[in-house]
């Protein structure tokens, strides 16, 4: 029981040790994604196979630990991020059953970064994040979409499309498609390829425009008015411009 309490505190607690543990998980996930990208340029060797197994075992241990401390295992098991973890584990430990699907690990980064505990700690630890949270999250959403879309293009087209032989080719196609540049030197094969191109354009452009919107609009701070609920105010606001309530926006006094 003591061990379970410690594990739950690491995953759900608010201590410094728990936050360091969750930061370590984010770093591990980022390192995993970098490895997947780099390995796409390399020939399949026994060393890469061993690294796949090691990463798969770490992810399996993480998944089992979260499942062990879960208070609603049936609901958590059906969570899309957890289902993605299962696919990733199969892909890394039994590649013949799910080759190339390890990129779905990116779903866990998105879930962690949207965790209230992680967001609260990042606001406390990083002034840069605190002042540009919406920009950072919009850029993260766009970046994760580009990664997932690129990985899907790469995995679905390699061996079938002579123009897509590595991750860089797939990334080039994805970026040129979501920006609607469309050079035309690389196109996806078949009806499913065309449908994938359409989805990349629709969702990619939406996320890109969202990021641009945040970048060009006037800087505001997040502070919920206790009366009317308005969240965004000028950084030097004293009163809520909607209801007139006196605000007490925290300020570090920086010029």
């Amino acid at each position: 029981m003591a061990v379970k309490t410690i594990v739950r505190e690491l995953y759900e607690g608010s201590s410094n040790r728990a936050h360091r543990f969750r930061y370590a998980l984010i770093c591990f996930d980022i390192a995993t994604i970098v490895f997947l990208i780099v390995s796409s340029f390399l020939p399949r060797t026994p060393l890469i196979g061993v690294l796949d197994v090691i990463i798969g075992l770490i992810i399996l241990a993480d998944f089992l630990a979260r499942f062990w401390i879960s208070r609603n295992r049936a609901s958590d098991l059906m969570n899309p991020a957890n289902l993605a973890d299962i696919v990733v584990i199969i892909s890394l430990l039994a590649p013949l059953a799910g080759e190339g699907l390890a990129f779905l690990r990116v779903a866990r980064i998105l879930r962690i970064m949207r965790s209230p505990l992680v967001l609260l700690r990042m606001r406390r630890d990083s002034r840069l994040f605190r002042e540009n949270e919406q920009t950072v999250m919009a850029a993260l959403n766009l970046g994760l979409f580009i990664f997932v879309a690129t990985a899907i293009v790469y995995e679905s087209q390699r061996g079938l499309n002579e123009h897509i032989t590595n991750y860089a080719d797939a990334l080039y196609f994805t970026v040129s498609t979501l920006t609607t540049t469309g050079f035309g030197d690389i196109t996806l094969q078949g009806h499913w390829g065309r449908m994938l191109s359409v989805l990349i354009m629709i969702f990619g452009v939406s996320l890109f425009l969202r990021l641009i919107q945040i970048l060009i609009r006037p800087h505001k701070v997040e502070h919920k008015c206790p009366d009317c609920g308005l969240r965004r105010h000028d950084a030097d606001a004293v009163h809520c411009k909607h209801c007139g309530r006196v605000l007490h926006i925290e300020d570090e006094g920086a010029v």
Side-chain angles (χ1 to χ4, degrees):
M1 183 61 68
V3 175
K4 190 172 186 178
T5 301
I6 294 173
V7 174
R8 177 169 283 128
E9 192 272 335
L10 288 175
Y11 279 93
E12 302 176 357
S14 56
S15 66
N16 288 333
R17 179 175 65 171
H19 287 296
R20 287 195 297 269
F21 175 75
R22 287 192 285 267
Y23 278 146
L25 286 179
I26 294 175
C27 292
F28 170 74
D29 289 333
I30 293 174
T32 299
I33 291 172
V34 172
F35 167 74
L36 294 173
I37 294 174
V38 172
S39 63
S40 74
F41 293 91
L42 304 174
R44 190 73 183 177
T45 64
L47 176 59
I48 292 179
V50 170
L51 291 176
D52 278 351
V53 172
I54 293 174
I55 294 173
L57 290 174
I58 294 174
I59 296 174
L60 176 61
D62 169 61
F63 177 82
L64 292 177
R66 288 185 285 110
F67 188 72
W68 184 38
I69 65 174
S70 174
R71 296 176 177 82
N72 190 342
R73 293 176 178 173
S75 176
D76 286 346
L77 189 62
M78 298 309 296
N79 183 291
N82 287 330
L83 292 176
D85 274 351
I86 294 174
V87 175
V88 170
I89 292 168
I90 295 174
S91 180
L92 291 171
L93 298 182
L96 293 179
E99 186 176 1
L101 296 177
F103 67 85
L104 290 174
R105 183 64 176 172
V106 75
R108 176 162 171 78
I109 293 183
L110 187 60
R111 184 180 66 180
I112 291 178
M113 289 299 295
R114 287 181 173 175
S115 165
L117 287 172
V118 173
L119 290 175
L120 183 64
R121 184 67 181 202
M122 291 185 70
R123 293 185 191 113
R124 173 183 167 184
D125 292 345
S126 172
R127 179 181 176 183
L128 179 64
F129 178 81
R130 186 167 59 250
E131 294 179 350
N132 302 278
E133 180 177 344
Q134 289 198 342
T135 302
V136 171
M137 296 306 295
L140 177 66
N141 289 335
L142 178 61
L144 293 181
F145 172 80
I146 291 175
F147 174 80
V148 172
T150 300
I152 293 175
V153 169
Y154 173 63
E155 296 298 341
S156 63
Q157 294 290 308
R158 66 172 179 172
L160 301 175
N161 192 326
E162 61 180 6
H163 298 295
I164 297 180
T165 58
N166 54 47
Y167 194 88
D169 294 334
L171 177 62
Y172 168 76
F173 169 80
T174 300
V175 173
S176 63
T177 300
L178 73 84
T179 57
T180 67
T181 304
F183 294 112
D185 50 343
I186 299 179
T187 57
L188 301 190
Q189 304 297 314
H191 296 298
W192 289 111
R194 293 185 178 89
M195 290 303 299
L196 178 57
S197 300
V198 170
L199 292 176
I200 290 173
M201 283 186 281
I202 293 175
F203 291 103
V205 168
S206 299
L207 292 171
F208 182 72
L209 291 178
R210 170 63 176 166
L211 175 59
I212 297 300
Q213 179 190 34
I214 292 174
L215 289 174
I216 64 176
R217 71 185 179 187
H219 175 67
K220 302 283 186 177
V221 296
E222 290 280 342
H223 181 86
K224 183 177 179 180
C225 174
D227 286 348
C228 69
L230 184 65
R231 288 183 174 274
R232 295 181 57 79
H233 306 274
D234 293 331
D236 59 351
V238 177
H239 298 86
C240 174
K241 66 179 180 181
H242 185 265
C243 69
R245 168 70 181 258
V246 176
L247 301 172
H248 299 281
I249 300 176
E250 294 182 3
D251 188 284
E252 297 178 348
V255 177

